[in-house]
Amino acid sequence: MLPSLSCNYNLRQDMMTGFRLNLAPVKEPLGFIRLVEWLTAIFAFWSCGGYSGTTTMSLFCSEGRNETLKATFSYPFRLNRVTLVDGNTTLCNHSVATTHLMGDSASSAQFFVGVAVICFFYAMLALLIYLGYMHVYKDSDFGPMFDFGLTAVIAFLWLVCSSAWAKGLQNVKDAVGTTGITSTLAVCQESNVTCEVTEFPGVRSLNVSVVVGFLNLVLWAGNAWFVYKETRWHSQKYSAQHVPGPGRGQQVPALM
């Protein structure tokens, strides 16, 4: 039997030996940071994926009459599908065609939430292995090496998705603000009409989601070091640094 096949076979056999509950890993950085990552992943996709807000635009007409428009939008922030004005509507004595908000931040928002969901499940699986199968994890080369590789990849994904979502969120803010709505609503271009957003949607949870995204980047990048210490790469390097050589406890034999 090939060594790799034998190793995988032994790993499967060890996984079937039984669950051994051990809470010690949670008291160490390796397991504790995984627990924090699991919690922050929940908060990340909840703060972004569960959002819904309403923007209110007031139109001040020249004859002293005011008009009010409201638009409600939510995740995944396809604003160009959100109706601001239905067709055949008269505003300030002007006929207005069907008008939508502008912009589409769905790709960055869904990417962000998707990474958060992946991290939620992986952190939960990793905690299960740490708490119940740590004896198998430490005795195999594959487990720590796979854990380290995936942790590093996820840290990079947090960097990309958080940066993309930060830009997407700014686009959402611009689109539902006075400037964004004025530019897409034709009646606001009339000289006798003044348009202004009088009730801006609260985006505090969305701001928090961006902060949590970059916090996850720090957590996963930092945890990559502790996972790396469990791999054979670190153990081999550590052993090589502590092997006594000439002048380190060994006496070089004299030449005859």
Side-chain angles (χ1 to χ4, degrees), residues 34 118-119 122-123 125-126 143-158 220 224 227:
R34 275 284 183 260
I118 291 173
C119 292
Y122 181 68
L125 176 62
M145 292 170 65
F146 177 82
D147 195 14
F148 170 72
L150 194 54
T151 299
V153 169
I154 290 177
F156 176 74
L157 288 177
W158 274 118
W220 285 83
V227 179

Side-chain angles (χ1 to χ4, degrees), residues 23 90 93 112-113 117 138 154 157 168 172 184 191 197 234 240 245:
L23 299 179
T90 301
N93 297 325
F112 181 85
V113 171
V117 171
K138 286 183 175 293
I154 290 177
L157 288 177
V172 171
T184 192
S191 59
V197 172
H234 179 266

Side-chain angles (χ1 to χ4, degrees), residues 19 46 52 151 180-181:
F19 182 87
W46 170 81
S52 179
T151 299
I181 295 182

